[in-house]
Amino acid sequence: MITVPRSHDGPPRILIAPGGARPTMLAAVRAGGGTVVDDPAEAEGLIWIAPRDPSRIATTLASGPDIRWVQLPFAGIEPFHGHLTSDHVWTSGKGVYAEPVAEMVLAMLLAGMRNLTGYARETTWSGHVGRNLLGARITVLGGGEITRALIPLLAPFRCQVTVLRRLAEPFEGAQRTGTLADLHTSLADADAVVVALALTPQTRHVIDAAALEAMCAHALLVNVGRGGHVDTDALVAALAAGSIGGAALDVTDPEPLPDGHALWTEPRCLITPHVGNTLEMGIPLLEARVRENVARFAAGQPLIGLVDVEAGY
Amino acid sequence: MITVPRSHDGPPRILIAPGGARPTMLAAVRAGGGTVVDDPAEAEGLIWIAPRDPSRIATTLASGPDIRWVQLPFAGIEPFHGHLTSDHVWTSGKGVYAEPVAEMVLAMLLAGMRNLTGYARETTWSGHVGRNLLGARITVLGGGEITRALIPLLAPFRCQVTVLRRLAEPFEGAQRTGTLADLHTSLADADAVVVALALTPQTRHVIDAAALEAMCAHALLVNVGRGGHVDTDALVAALAAGSIGGAALDVTDPEPLPDGHALWTEPRCLITPHVGNTLEMGIPLLEARVRENVARFAAGQPLIGLVDVEAGY
C-alpha cells in the first residue's frame, strides 16, 4: 500500500489542468477536502483532465516542484506512457469505468449469442438463430476491474468462467484461472472470448490469426480492451471464412474504424464507437473517484487506481 | 396443490400424441418411470406434442376414458382455449421456457438501452448514444415464471423493479408491486417497460395509445408476451413521434410481421422472430419437465405447470 507524503499541512492544494475544468470537478476536489489552486508552484496534487493530451504535463510538473501525486482521468493511459516519471505517484481512472464497461460486455455477449445484431439488420421475419448465454463457457482475458465488475453480472447465468491474467492466482467468481501462456487451450473450449486487458507490448495482437484459429467455429469474440489487442486483418479473414462465430468490438484498430472498412458490412460483426463508458456515464464516476482520492491524499491514506509506472497501467 | 388420482397401479401409461415424437421424448417418459403406450384406450396420461394443433385432441381424449392428465408443450396455450375440459387435469410448459425468455428480455433491455440495435445498423463511426441499465427503473407487466427468472438476472444491476400482476402481493426481488390498475402511474417513471403477461381478453392491448403516452420519452418497451398485448398501430405512431425511446419486440401483431411493415425500418425498433425460446433451446427443457411430471404423476405428487382452466393459462 503506497501512501503519498505531503509537503504541506492543511487542505491539500490541487491543480486541475490543462484548463477547462467543469464546475462539478472543482466541487469534487473541494468535497474531498482539497483547495483548488491555479499556480503549479503552489500545488501538491495534479488532476490532469485531458485524457488523450499529455503534451503540457511535463512542463506543468516542472513548474510544480511540490507536486507529488498526479491523477489521470481514464483507465487506459497509453498517451502518457512516455511521461510517467518515477518521482511522482500516478493514479488513473482504473476501476472507475468498470461497471458501465462490464455492462457493455454483457450487452455484447447477449446481442451476439442471441443474434440481436443479425436480427437488427433484417427487414423480414427470418429463421431461428441464437444460443444461450445460460451455462456458456466464457474465457476472459484480463483480471482487472472490468473483469471484477463482469463476474457478478454473469453469475446468474451459471457460466463457466475462465480468467487469464498475469499471474495464475484464483479470481473470485471464476471457475478457472490461468495466464496468457494458457491462451490457446482456454480459447479452444470457449463459447465466447472477452478481451478486457490493458494494452502493453506483451498484449498487443494477443488475438492474432493463430488465436482466432484456436477458437470454436461458433464462438463470439468481444473486445472492450483496446483495438490493438486484436489483429484486425486476421479477424476480417476469420469472420469471412466462418472460422469463428462472430465479433463485437467496442474498440478497433484503426480507431475510429474508417468508412468502407470490411467490418462495417460483415454480417456477424457488431461495431460500437468506443462507448463502453461514455462521457455522460463517466463524468460523475470520475468525479466521485477524484473526491475519494483527494480525501485519501489529505488523510495520508493509500490512493485508489495506482499506476504501476513500469508496467504502464 | 392438486394431485391426479390414478386409475391403475404400476408404471403410468403415457400416450404421446399426435405422432412424430422424438426418441428423446420417449426416453424422458421412461426416465420419469412411465410406460409409453400407443392406444388411447390404454392411456392414463397424454403428452400432446403439437404446440399449435389442438385439432385431434378432443377425439384422442374421447377414445381415452382413463386419461386423467394432459401435458401441453408450450407456455402459451391459446390454441387450446376451446379444448380445456374441466374433467381433465391440464399442465402446460409454463415455467419451462422462462429462463431463455428472461435471458432474451435482458438481451433486449441492454441492446435497447446501450443502443446496440442502432449501432448494428451503422456503417460509420457515429456518436455516443446510450443509457445504463445499472440503476434503471424497470416496470414488468406480469408476475409469472418469466418475471421470476428475470429478477435474478437484473439483481446485479441494482435496478428499481416494479411488478404489476393480478394481485398486488409482494414479489420476491421487486421493490414495488401493483396491479394493472396502477399501470399508467407505473409507466410514468420507468426507464424500461417489460411485457411478460399471458394473453387474455383482459390483457389484450394493455399497451395502447394511452399507455404509450404515459411512458417517458426515453423509455424502452420490451414485449416477450404476445403480440396482442401491444396495439401495433399505436406503437408505430409513438415511435414515429418520438414519444417513447424505443421498442424491442419478440412477438408482434400480426405475427409474423409482414414484409414492408413500418416497424421493420423504424430506427428505434428491434424485431426478433419469436425466438425468446427457440425449439433448439426448448426441447431439452420440455423433456426435463415431462420426465419430472411423469415421475410426480407416478408418485401421486402435485404436477408442475398446472393450467387454470377458467383463467386459460
Side-chain angles (χ1 to χ4, degrees), chain A residues 75-78 94 101 105 139-148 150 163-167 178-181 183 187 193-208 221-230 251 274 311-313:
Chain A
I77 57 165
E78 303 94 81
K94 220 182 321 194
V101 179
V105 171
T139 292
V140 185
L141 278 57
E145 297 298 330
I146 295 171
T147 306
R148 204 171 301 283
L150 177 62
V163 173
L164 303 183
R165 57 200 308 217
R166 260 196 298 184
L167 306 168
T179 69
L180 288 180
L183 180 65
L187 294 178
V193 176
V194 177
V195 181
L197 290 160
L199 187 63
T200 66
Q202 289 72 43
T203 63
R204 188 174 166 76
H205 281 199
V206 62
I207 301 294
D208 57 8
L221 174 68
V222 172
N223 189 7
V224 293
R226 286 289 181 262
H229 286 123
V230 175
V251 289
H274 207 141
Y313 65 89

Side-chain angles (χ1 to χ4, degrees), chain A residues 113-178:
Chain A
M113 297 181 80
R114 300 299 301 249
N115 190 42
L116 300 195
T117 305
Y119 288 132
R121 293 161 173 166
E122 290 285 357
T123 54
T124 194
W125 196 263
S126 55
H128 289 189
V129 183
R131 308 172 64 86
N132 284 129
L133 177 60
L134 287 156
R137 296 157 304 176
I138 311 291
T139 292
V140 185
L141 278 57
E145 297 298 330
I146 295 171
T147 306
R148 204 171 301 283
L150 177 62
I151 295 268
L153 304 187
L154 286 174
F157 292 91
R158 303 184 300 276
C159 293
Q160 300 291 312
V161 179
T162 301
V163 173
L164 303 183
R165 57 200 308 217
R166 260 196 298 184
L167 306 168
E169 289 164 354
F171 193 95
E172 197 185 334
Q175 279 67 45
R176 294 191 305 185
T177 37

Side-chain angles (χ1 to χ4, degrees), chain A residues 93-112:
Chain A
K94 220 182 321 194
V96 162
Y97 311 110
E99 277 206 310
V101 179
E103 177 180 288
M104 186 57 137
V105 171
L106 199 73
M108 288 180 143
L109 285 171
L110 286 167

Side-chain angles (χ1 to χ4, degrees), chain A residues 120, chain B residues 111 115-122 267:
Chain B
N115 190 43
L116 300 194
T117 304
Y119 289 133
R121 293 160 173 167
E122 290 285 355

